[in-house]
Amino acid sequence: MPGRSPRHSKAIHISTSRGRKFMFRDQFRGAGWLTLAITSSVFATTASAQQTEPDVPQAKASGTTLGDIVVTAQRREQRADDVGVTINVLSGDDLKAAGTQSIVDLAAVTPNVQIKNVMANSITNVSIRGIGLNDYAVNNNPAAGIYVDNVYLVSPAMLTFGFYDVDRIEILKGPQGDLYGRNTTAGAVNIISRKPSSVIDIRLEAGLGSYESWHLDGAIGGALTSTLNARFALQTIQQGSGPQTNYVTGNRIGKVDRTNGRLQLQWEASDAITMLLNLHKGYDRSDTALYKADNVLTTEEDAYADQPRVAGAGTDPRMELESAGASLTVNWTLAPRLSLTSISAYEHFTRLHAEDTDGTSLVFLDGTYDDRIDQYSQELRLAYDADDLKLIGGAFYSRDKVQAHDEFYALDLLPLLGLAGLDTIGNNYRQRTDAYAAFMHGEWTVAPRLTLVGGLRYTEERKTFDQATTFLCAAGTCNDLFAPVSNRYSTSNISGKIGLNYKAGDRTLIYASVSRGFKSGGFQGQLSFDPSVLQPFDDEKLTAYEVGIKTRVAPNLQVNAAVFDYEYSDAQIYGPLFDSPIGVLFGIANVGNARVKGAEADAWWRPAAGLDIRAGIGFIDTEVTKSVVAGVMKGSVLPNSPRLTLNGLAKYQWAVSDRVDADIVLSGKYQSRVRFDIVRSPSEAVEGGYFVGNAEVGVSVDDHWRASLWCKNIFDRLYRTQALNTSVGWTRQYGDPRTVGVNISYRY
């Protein structure tokens, strides 16, 4: 099962004479591991993509020639060699081969990308090239735009879904300031489902694994009538146990109960009009991950200090997530070179997340988060496609409402703060956002090999933040600390890009671009004792300079590389930033400016029929160049930005007989030292470098049946995915230990 990551820090900081540091040393030992990471476990990033015949087993490919990579990153089908943007593309089969089950796992198959759950296992942060959102509040927007079937998701709480029946995932690096809807300082992630077609397509998979886990995946598609195609996909993941133990109750923690379904109907209304209806629904009623605490108010957990996966909780924490949505995409060919696209979408999401933040049997911080999100969006695009000029222009509108009720049962903590007789502290708020945008993107071939690329987007956002207050309760009676706050924030911004694409050969593209993106400001959704803290923070802005190359060096070798330089201003950082009479409060603010420089490269090599070796490397250097808050030091590195990442995959498939094929897959990831938090420079928030490797062995019969054995974290590497400071001290979370399992699948 995918690794779990913890929530970020919250609430109040209490100074104490008792404190311990839990430091990890970099255990990435020796050049042998580095060689393994590069040669047999570094995954195909940009080159690992959908081929023109998706999902065809590679051993069945013609000789050693690599197929074309097709993307829709610029809202139209293009060969990846022709797109002057750094894109990591992963087909559905690529994802399965690397053991990728959720958005968190994407970090293991792409360089310069960090993805983690900042709050137990129900708030996700995506950082690309060091730019991300390290906040646990549901009202803030991701710094990387996340799109599922072309629909933007407004909250990081909505990103905990699993992958099923995925056609491909496209990860765009850097600000996407023209074609993408909102908040893309880091980049954009497009998750694209398999679409209905008239061809009968049946896919089934069942599997068993560690911790009493099992899963069922299924999809069926085909023609219902001569003009109507359908596809239905369903996934359920169940797990009866887990790698953690609650020392208070004695129970194993890590149970999973998650089911998702999707129905798509595609109607060819005429030769010129096609409509696609997407209906989806899912739930997740799993255990909430435990926090491994170094609690400064008790020594209770000291007896388990050397057992990283043993932690405490007064009760076994649980969560209930539910999502449902619908989208309608209409493509209308108005003329041979002119087409109109309309995407209308609605998403509904609810979240009840209960956890024991203090990691002991005591009632210091037993948190419950009760949230509801509703969003509607509408996009219209008009596309003109001529031989030397391609234009895409349009408008975008979205409206979302976030309602949050957070409370912390703190019967044993509040008396220590001078609040005897009280048992609960919490906060409420509602946020409504209206976003408008108009955009234009163009590509003009000014010479046979030279194309000028340009784009511009005007965005306006209006946010209303109201019903915001902090409350204290005693025996079920609650009182607000201050009158509910009501405030507004509005912003307008012009973003975009300009670039040159030079075709040095039929399969070689050299590109250079300057692009600008922004992430809108807003309001912090964390607990506060001071209503003045609930003032808006401003937009952050990023200007990126990038030069890259994509080349088919030989028919069996694809190489891509890019270098980049970012100017990052008014960076939005979360942490213990606000002082109060009772200590430091946590929140989000504009902390100053930073720079990011780096490079990345990847290669896809097929030296022999059936053998694919894919390798990628990423390097980034980040530094805060200007700080406007006391808690962030000039010269600090940005959070979640390891200097070096290596990730990849090696697969060999061979014929055993006329009907039977066998395959073996080795994959993995290495990342260097990383800092989870830079506010007040805590040494506890530093994790050393580590390597995680995976393996799978499979047998296929008649191109229909396949059975496989897999192992994730094959070397049983112990590593932290997060460290956070809370009102009771530092807590931390770890990646999953070694897990094994078996899968059986059928395709027709």
Coordinates of all heavy atoms in Angstrom, one line a residue, residues 195-203 219-224 229-231 704 746-748:
K195 N -10.6 6.8 -21.8 CA -11.8 7.3 -22.3 C -12.6 6.2 -23.0 O -12.0 5.2 -23.5 CB -11.6 8.4 -23.3 CG -10.9 9.7 -22.7 CD -11.8 10.3 -21.6 CE -11.2 11.5 -21.0 NZ -10.1 11.2 -20.1
P196 N -13.9 6.3 -23.1 CA -14.7 5.3 -23.9 C -14.3 5.3 -25.3 O -13.9 6.3 -25.9 CB -16.1 5.8 -23.7 CG -16.1 6.8 -22.5 CD -14.7 7.4 -22.6
S197 N -14.5 4.1 -25.9 CA -14.3 4.0 -27.4 C -15.3 2.9 -27.8 O -15.9 2.2 -27.0 CB -12.9 3.6 -27.7 OG -12.6 2.3 -27.4
S198 N -15.3 2.7 -29.2 CA -16.2 1.7 -29.7 C -15.7 0.3 -29.6 O -16.4 -0.7 -29.8 CB -16.5 2.0 -31.2 OG -15.3 2.1 -31.9
V199 N -14.4 0.2 -29.3 CA -13.7 -1.1 -29.1 C -14.0 -1.7 -27.8 O -13.8 -1.0 -26.7 CB -12.2 -1.0 -29.4 CG1 -11.5 -2.3 -29.2 CG2 -11.9 -0.4 -30.8
I200 N -14.4 -2.9 -27.7 CA -14.6 -3.6 -26.4 C -13.3 -3.7 -25.6 O -12.3 -4.2 -26.2 CB -15.2 -5.0 -26.6 CG1 -16.6 -4.9 -27.2 CG2 -15.3 -5.7 -25.2 CD1 -17.2 -6.2 -27.5
D201 N -13.3 -3.2 -24.4 CA -12.0 -3.2 -23.6 C -12.4 -3.6 -22.2 O -13.2 -3.0 -21.5 CB -11.4 -1.8 -23.6 CG -10.1 -1.7 -22.8 OD1 -9.5 -2.8 -22.6 OD2 -9.7 -0.6 -22.4
I202 N -11.9 -4.7 -21.7 CA -12.2 -5.3 -20.4 C -10.9 -5.4 -19.7 O -9.9 -6.1 -20.2 CB -12.9 -6.6 -20.5 CG1 -14.2 -6.5 -21.2 CG2 -13.2 -7.2 -19.1 CD1 -14.9 -7.8 -21.5
R203 N -10.8 -4.9 -18.5 CA -9.6 -5.0 -17.6 C -10.0 -5.3 -16.2 O -10.8 -4.6 -15.6 CB -8.8 -3.7 -17.6 CG -8.3 -3.3 -19.0 CD -7.8 -1.8 -19.0 NE -7.5 -1.4 -20.3 CZ -6.3 -1.1 -20.8 NH1 -5.2 -1.3 -20.0 NH2 -6.1 -0.7 -22.0
A219 N -12.5 -2.5 -15.2 CA -13.0 -1.5 -16.1 C -13.6 -2.2 -17.3 O -13.0 -3.2 -17.7 CB -11.9 -0.5 -16.6
I220 N -14.7 -1.7 -17.9 CA -15.3 -2.3 -19.1 C -15.7 -1.1 -19.9 O -16.3 -0.2 -19.4 CB -16.4 -3.2 -18.7 CG1 -17.0 -3.9 -20.0 CG2 -17.5 -2.6 -17.9 CD1 -17.9 -5.0 -19.8
G221 N -15.4 -1.2 -21.2 CA -15.8 -0.2 -22.1 C -16.2 -0.7 -23.5 O -15.7 -1.8 -23.9
G222 N -17.0 0.0 -24.2 CA -17.3 -0.4 -25.6 C -18.5 0.5 -26.1 O -18.9 1.4 -25.4
A223 N -19.0 0.1 -27.2 CA -20.1 0.8 -27.8 C -21.5 0.3 -27.3 O -21.7 -0.9 -27.3 CB -20.1 0.6 -29.4
L224 N -22.3 1.2 -26.9 CA -23.7 0.9 -26.6 C -24.6 1.0 -27.8 O -25.6 0.3 -28.0 CB -24.2 1.9 -25.5 CG -23.5 1.8 -24.2 CD1 -24.1 2.8 -23.2 CD2 -23.5 0.4 -23.6
N229 N -20.7 5.6 -26.8 CA -19.7 4.7 -26.2 C -19.7 4.9 -24.7 O -20.0 6.0 -24.2 CB -18.3 4.9 -26.7 CG -18.2 4.7 -28.2 OD1 -18.9 3.9 -28.8 ND2 -17.4 5.6 -28.9
A230 N -19.4 3.9 -23.9 CA -19.4 4.0 -22.5 C -18.2 3.3 -21.9 O -17.6 2.4 -22.5 CB -20.7 3.3 -21.9
R231 N -17.8 3.7 -20.7 CA -16.8 3.1 -19.9 C -17.1 3.2 -18.4 O -17.3 4.3 -17.9 CB -15.4 3.7 -20.2 CG -14.2 2.9 -19.6 CD -12.9 3.4 -20.0 NE -11.8 2.5 -19.5 CZ -11.4 1.5 -20.2 NH1 -11.9 1.1 -21.3 NH2 -10.4 0.7 -19.6
H704 N -3.4 -12.1 -22.4 CA -4.6 -11.8 -21.7 C -4.4 -11.8 -20.2 O -4.9 -11.0 -19.4 CB -5.7 -12.7 -22.1 CG -6.2 -12.6 -23.6 ND1 -6.6 -11.4 -24.1 CD2 -6.2 -13.5 -24.6 CE1 -6.9 -11.6 -25.4 NE2 -6.7 -12.8 -25.7
Y746 N -6.4 -9.6 -15.9 CA -7.0 -10.1 -17.2 C -7.3 -8.9 -18.1 O -7.9 -7.9 -17.6 CB -8.2 -10.9 -17.0 CG -8.9 -11.4 -18.2 CD1 -8.4 -12.4 -19.0 CD2 -10.1 -10.7 -18.7 CE1 -9.1 -12.8 -20.2 CE2 -10.7 -11.1 -19.8 CZ -10.2 -12.1 -20.6 OH -10.8 -12.5 -21.8
R747 N -7.0 -9.0 -19.4 CA -7.3 -8.0 -20.3 C -8.0 -8.6 -21.6 O -7.5 -9.7 -22.0 CB -6.1 -7.2 -20.8 CG -5.5 -6.3 -19.8 CD -4.4 -5.4 -20.4 NE -3.8 -4.6 -19.4 CZ -2.8 -3.7 -19.7 NH1 -2.4 -3.6 -20.9 NH2 -2.3 -3.0 -18.7
Y748 N -9.0 -8.0 -22.1 CA -9.5 -8.4 -23.3 C -9.8 -7.2 -24.2 O -10.3 -6.2 -23.8 CB -10.9 -9.1 -23.1 CG -11.6 -9.5 -24.3 CD1 -11.2 -10.7 -25.0 CD2 -12.6 -8.8 -24.9 CE1 -11.9 -11.1 -26.2 CE2 -13.3 -9.1 -26.0 CZ -12.9 -10.3 -26.7 OH -13.5 -10.7 -27.8

